[in-house]
Amino acid sequence: MNIIGLGNALVDVLLRLENDQVLHEIGFEKGTMDMISEQQMIAIRSSQQHLQKSQTPGGSACNTMRALANLGVNAGFIGKIGTDEVGEYYEQAVRKAGVTPYFIQTPGISGSCTVLISPDGERSMGTFLGPGPTILPEEIKEADLSNYHCLYIEGYLIVNEALLRGAVQKAKKLGLKVALDLSNFNIVKSFKRLLEDIIPNYVDILFSNESEAEAYTGQQAEDAVKTLSEIVDIAIVTLGKEGAIVRKKAETIRVKAEGGKPIDTTGAGDHFAAGFLYGQSVGGTLEQSARTGSLLAGHVIDVIGPEIPEFQWEQIKLKVREIFV
C-alpha cells in the first residue's frame, strides 16, 4: 500500500529545559501545543539561547511518512513551504529520508515548531505554522494522489475546512483509504461539529490519544474506542505508557507500550501511526499492526526529537519481521 501524507511542513527546533519554570513564564501549559506568532517564536528562542538545542525536519504527517519510508513503504508528502533556507533544508531532508515530496512553494518564511522538553521527557510545543495552513484545495492534485492507495492527514489541518473537505473528497473519488490523526484535543473541541461530519463520511482509519478520544466522544478510552469503531473501519486510541487499544467491528485488541522511561515523547504518536499503517499495508492483523506501532513509538521516545536515528533502523526492521512471523 503506497501512502501519502498531508500536513504542515515544519522544522522542529528542540530545546531541553532545565526545569518547568520557563513554561509558566511564557504562558505554556505543559504537554500541550499552542499556536504562536512569528514574533512569539523569535522571543521564546531568544530567551532560551543558553539551552541545548537541535534542529530536525518535523510536522506530524511528515514524521509518519519518513518512518514509513524507512520501513520500505512507498511514501509521499504534501506540504507548503516558503522560499527561505528553512524550506530548502526541509525539502532536502524529506528527499534524503526517501519520501517523495509534493511541495507547494510560496514567497516568505517556512513554518517551524519550538519544542520545549521538560526534564521528565514531556514536551510542550509552540508552533508557528508559516504557510502550511494556507494550502488551497485546488493545490492538491488528483494526479499526485492517484499514485497512492491511502491518504494520511494530520489533525492540525482541521483548521482549514476547505482543504480538509477537498482532500478527503478527492481521495474517495480516486478510491483511496483515508486515515486521520486527531492530533490535539483543543482542535477536536474547537472543530467537533466539522469532525462529526467528516469522520463518519470519509475516514477509514482514525488515530487518537486518550484526551482526543474523550474530547470527541465524551467517554473514557475503553468506551470511546467502541463508539469510534461504529463510525470508522478501524479506531485506535493510544494510552501513553499504558499502550494502545485498537478496535475493528467487534474485535478489540490491546498492546503494551514499548521502550523505557521516555527522554522525549515528541513524535511518539506519529511513529505509532507509521507502524500501524505499515502493518496494514502488508496485510497484517490488528495485533501485528499495533505491535509494530508500539515498537516504533518505543524507539522514538528514547531519543531527542521526532525521528529515530538512521543506525537503529536495521535492528528495528529485524524486530518487525519477528512480529510478522
Side-chain angles (χ1 to χ4, degrees), residues 141-319:
K141 305 299 183 184
E142 291 188 10
D144 297 334
L145 294 179
S146 64
N147 295 316
Y148 297 88
H149 305 106
C150 177
L151 172 64
Y152 174 80
I153 305 173
E154 66 176 66
Y156 296 118
L157 290 186
I158 292 168
V159 299
N160 187 337
E161 179 177 349
L163 171 62
L164 181 63
R165 286 191 183 279
V168 297
Q169 287 170 358
K170 288 178 182 178
K172 285 302 178 183
K173 175 185 174 183
L174 295 168
L176 278 70
K177 287 184 177 295
V178 172
L180 174 67
D181 190 326
L182 292 181
S183 296
N184 183 277
F185 72 92
N186 284 325
I187 289 177
V188 177
K189 289 179 179 178
S190 299
F191 295 89
K192 186 177 178 182
R193 184 170 296 180
L194 172 61
L195 289 170
E196 288 173 338
D197 178 30
I198 293 292
I199 292 174
N201 290 308
Y202 297 101
V203 176
D204 299 289
I205 303 173
L206 183 67
F207 294 93
S208 64
N209 63 23
E210 290 178 273
S211 61
E212 293 153 8
E214 183 177 357
Y216 185 82
T217 66
Q219 300 170 317
Q220 297 298 309
E222 293 280 358
D223 292 324
V225 74
K226 294 178 183 178
T227 298
L228 293 171
S229 69
E230 294 172 359
I231 58 174
V232 298
D233 185 37
I234 302 175
I236 301 104
V237 179
T238 56
L239 309 171
K241 64 181 181 180
E242 301 301 323
I245 311 174
V246 181
R247 185 176 174 93
K248 180 177 182 178
K249 295 183 173 65
E251 181 185 5
T252 302
I253 65 103
R254 296 188 68 118
V255 293
K256 65 180 182 179
E258 299 285 347
K261 182 179 179 181
I263 295 174
D264 173 19
T265 56
T266 307
D270 305 334
H271 281 71
F272 186 96
F276 188 87
L277 290 173
Y278 170 81
Q280 292 297 288
S281 76
V282 297
T285 64
L286 291 184
E287 182 177 2
Q288 288 170 325
S289 300
R291 285 177 60 194
T292 307
S294 185
L295 173 68
L296 265 59
H299 275 271
V300 80
I301 65 173
D302 284 340
V303 298
I304 296 296
E307 62 180 344
I308 297 169
E310 187 175 345
F311 72 88
Q312 293 187 14
W313 279 102
E314 286 306 315
Q315 186 64 34
I316 289 172
K317 285 187 277 191
L318 290 174
K319 293 179 180 178

Side-chain angles (χ1 to χ4, degrees), residues 81-94 105 110:
I81 58 175
T83 50
D84 56 351
E85 291 182 359
V86 171
E88 183 179 343
Y89 159 79
Y90 194 89
E91 182 169 1
Q92 290 176 351
V94 169
Q105 196 169 48
S110 302

Side-chain angles (χ1 to χ4, degrees), residues 2 10 13 20 25 31 34 51 58 61-62 85 112 137 142 166 192 215 218 221 231 261 293-295 307:
N2 301 337
L10 302 171
V13 178
D20 289 339
E25 293 173 356
D34 291 309
L51 297 177
C62 192
E85 291 182 359
S112 65
E142 291 188 10
K192 186 177 178 182
I231 58 174
K261 182 179 179 181
S294 185
L295 173 68
E307 62 180 344

